[in-house]
Amino acid sequence: MTSCKPVPADDDDRVPTTFEERNTWWMAILVPVTTLAYFAVVIPRLWSRPAAEVAWVTPMLWAIGATFVGTILGSIVSAMFARDGHTESDVRDKQIVRHGDGIAQAVMGFGAAAVLVLAMVRADQFWIGNVLFLIGAVGTTWGAIAKIRAYRGAFHG
Amino acid sequence: MVKPTRVTNRIRVLRVEHGEMTQAELAERVGVTRQTVIAIEQGRYSPSLEMAFQIARVFKVPLDDVFQYPGDTD
């Protein structure tokens, strides 16, 4: 696998990450940031009043909107500053994305079960909405981390 | 933790033997990114059978001149 023969000169330059990997890194940062910002706003409200009276819908919509817009802006910036000029995905990118998305979906499946239990015990909408939001964020972040591990380490499909 | 593959390859040697072909050139001819070529060379990614044949075809050699699976003949 390795050789003592010299490598062609062009192989020594810095290897940029692929467009897909840059987007994955951005997601792994953006989603936790917007989620933590949301909970930083909502959790203090929970200390002073019952959950049923806490206003959480508007902050959550802002967090979801910021994540959505941030994802689009991140992709645009990533494409604009792509050192290699390539934004298309190859087969390895697609396999890694599928691998990460599978992990994210497994986490979200667990979250769906948790939400179902909350609905069965007639928990307040606050808890149902926030657990669903949290699991969604955890699943997305976990999936992004799995993709980064696959990009940086070994991935055999 | 992902287990390392036992499949080894001679892509780097073959590139040098074929006019010092760069990773970027090989990637373009196979239709993948340079990062994928690097990952295959380093044994961090196992290509599909189809991609393996494409790589062998670029070097005009049989598949087992590019990829080896130790144990069968050792």
Side-chain angles (χ1 to χ4, degrees), chain B residues 11-22:
Chain B
I11 294 175
R12 179 175 288 231
V13 175
L14 287 164
R15 285 195 299 108
V16 173
E17 289 173 357
H18 283 72
E20 303 224 331
M21 182 188 293
T22 64

Side-chain angles (χ1 to χ4, degrees), chain A residues 1 3 5-8 10-11 13-18 84 90-92 95 151-156, chain B residues 2-3 5 9 12-13 15-17 20-23 32-36 38 41 43-46 51:
Chain A
M1 193 160 18
S3 165
K5 293 190 177 186
V7 294
D10 285 355
D11 291 347
D13 62 352
R14 192 180 73 83
V15 183
T17 53
T18 63
D84 54 357
D90 72 359
V91 63
R92 175 169 167 259
Q95 285 177 329
Y151 274 117
R152 298 284 104 188
F155 179 73
H156 299 291
Chain B
V2 179
K3 283 184 181 176
T5 179
N9 70 79
R12 179 175 288 231
V13 175
R15 285 195 299 108
V16 173
E17 289 173 357
E20 303 224 331
M21 182 188 293
T22 64
Q23 292 164 339
V32 296
T33 61
R34 187 180 152 204
Q35 291 82 355
T36 295
I38 292 167
E41 276 192 5
R44 294 190 293 108
Y45 173 66
S46 299
M51 194 193 299

Side-chain angles (χ1 to χ4, degrees), chain A residues 24-148:
Chain A
T24 302
W25 274 101
W26 179 232
M27 285 297 284
I29 295 166
L30 180 67
V31 173
V33 166
T34 55
T35 304
L36 288 174
Y38 165 76
F39 283 113
V41 169
V42 171
I43 287 178
R45 294 179 183 179
L46 200 57
W47 294 335
S48 57
R49 71 203 81 167
E53 294 174 17
V54 172
W56 56 276
V57 175
T58 304
M60 188 180 286
L61 289 174
W62 272 106
I64 293 169
T67 306
F68 188 70
V69 172
T71 303
I72 294 169
L73 288 177
S75 289
I76 292 169
V77 170
S78 176
M80 282 170 62
F81 293 99
R83 182 170 170 270
D84 54 357
H86 295 295
T87 56
E88 67 274 14
S89 301
D90 72 359
V91 63
R92 175 169 167 259
D93 285 316
K94 288 171 185 162
Q95 285 177 329
I96 289 175
V97 166
R98 202 158 48 232
H99 164 71
D101 288 349
I103 289 171
Q105 282 170 14
V107 174
M108 287 184 218
F110 168 77
V115 167
L116 197 61
V117 170
L118 287 172
M120 286 172 178
V121 299
R122 296 181 183 276
D124 187 81
Q125 287 177 341
F126 174 90
W127 297 111
I128 293 174
N130 280 279
V131 166
L132 194 57
F133 179 74
L134 179 63
I135 294 290
V138 169
T140 305
T141 306
W142 202 332
I145 290 169
K147 289 177 199 172
I148 290 168

Side-chain angles (χ1 to χ4, degrees), chain A residues 1, chain B residues 7-12 40-43 66-68:
Chain A
M1 193 160 18
Chain B
V7 177
T8 59
N9 70 79
R10 296 179 60 247
I11 294 175
R12 179 175 288 231
I40 295 169
E41 276 192 5
Q42 294 175 347
V66 184
F67 296 96
Q68 297 81 39

Side-chain angles (χ1 to χ4, degrees), chain B residues 59-72:
Chain B
F59 295 123
K60 297 183 176 64
V61 294
L63 188 61
D64 57 4
D65 274 9
V66 184
F67 296 96
Q68 297 81 39
Y69 190 74
D72 292 346

